[in-house]
Amino acid sequence: IEVYLQPLPDDFSNPLYQETNILNDISDEKGALVNFQEIETLAGEWIQKALEQLDSLLGSGTSSNNGQNDLGINELIRSSLLDDQGEFSIDPSLISGFFSDENSNNIIFEGHDKLTETTMSLVSIRVQGLDTFKELDLLNVVGNYTVRNLLKMERLTFFIELEATMMASSLSSSFIDA
C-alpha cells in the first residue's frame, strides 16, 4: 500500500502539465486548438451564456419531493434513466460480449479441467446512486487549452449477479469418475 501513499507525479497532480509540456512538442499545430481563455473573442458571449444556462439547469439546487435541496442533474437522471427503485439496469449482454465472440447466455467464463467443468454467466447488472450528485461544477477554464470539471457524488453502488455452474469433469483424464 506504500506505493499508493506517495505523492502523485506532476503529470497526474498538475492539471496544466499536458498543456505546458505537450504543447511545446506540437507548436506547429497550435492554431488548430481552441484557446479557452480567449473564447469570448472567438465566438462572442453566446458560448459563455450557453455554459451558464447548462450550469443553471444541471447544477442549480431545486426543492425535491422530500423538501431537501437537490441538483438539477439528479432530477434529470431520475426522470430519464432510473427505475422506480432508483436503479439503472444494464443489459448483461452488452458487457458479456467483451468476454467472448460467440457469447450465448451471457457467459463470461468457461473452464474445463481434470476436476470440474465450470461456466459463469452474468445474470444482472444494476447501479444505484447515479442521482446522488452533491456538487457539479462543469467546464471551468484553468488554462489556455485546459478545462476542469468537478463532480462529487454521495455514493455509487454496483450490483452484479452471477450464476456459476460446476459439474464433474467429463474429460477421460478426470480425477472424478462420473
Side-chain angles (χ1 to χ4, degrees):
I1 194 166
E2 308 307 331
V3 70
Y4 298 106
L5 299 176
Q6 303 300 317
L8 289 171
D10 217 24
D11 56 337
F12 287 108
S13 61
N14 179 1
L16 297 176
Y17 177 83
Q18 300 292 333
E19 182 173 314
T20 55
N21 292 295
I22 305 300
L23 286 181
N24 293 333
D25 297 338
I26 57 170
S27 58
D28 295 339
E29 299 175 23
K30 278 188 180 179
L33 300 174
V34 174
N35 184 336
F36 293 110
Q37 298 283 0
E38 299 174 359
I39 197 77
E40 287 184 17
T41 60
L42 295 174
E45 293 183 19
W46 71 270
I47 289 180
Q48 184 62 32
K49 290 187 186 291
L51 292 175
E52 288 171 5
Q53 289 296 319
L54 180 66
D55 190 45
S56 174
L57 174 69
L58 300 178
S60 296
T62 59
S63 184
S64 64
N65 293 340
N66 58 10
Q68 293 182 336
N69 203 19
D70 202 4
L71 296 178
I73 185 74
N74 293 333
E75 293 180 10
L76 180 64
I77 289 171
R78 271 185 220 112
S79 66
S80 59
L81 295 176
L82 305 183
D83 62 18
D84 294 339
Q85 288 77 38
E87 296 179 341
F88 178 70
S89 295
I90 300 171
D91 181 359
S93 65
L94 296 174
I95 306 296
S96 59
F98 291 111
F99 296 98
S100 172
D101 292 335
E102 300 174 20
N103 202 356
S104 61
N105 299 324
N106 299 323
I107 295 172
I108 61 170
F109 174 79
E110 288 182 292
H112 197 177
D113 56 32
K114 291 183 178 187
L115 188 60
T116 64
E117 186 174 352
T118 305
T119 304
M120 293 183 75
S121 303
L122 279 172
V123 176
S124 68
I125 303 168
R126 299 181 331 272
V127 183
Q128 284 182 349
L130 288 172
D131 61 341
T132 63
F133 282 95
K134 294 298 176 196
E135 192 171 341
L136 184 69
D137 194 8
L138 301 175
L139 302 174
N140 293 297
V141 176
V142 295
N144 290 334
Y145 310 102
T146 307
V147 294
R148 176 183 282 174
N149 297 302
L150 175 66
L151 308 163
K152 289 184 182 179
M153 297 180 87
E154 184 178 306
R155 65 181 163 73
L156 189 61
T157 308
F158 291 84
F159 296 94
I160 300 173
E161 184 180 354
L162 299 172
E163 179 181 280
T165 305
M166 293 180 72
M167 301 179 291
S169 177
S170 60
L171 296 175
S172 59
S173 59
S174 171
F175 294 135
I176 300 171
D177 289 328

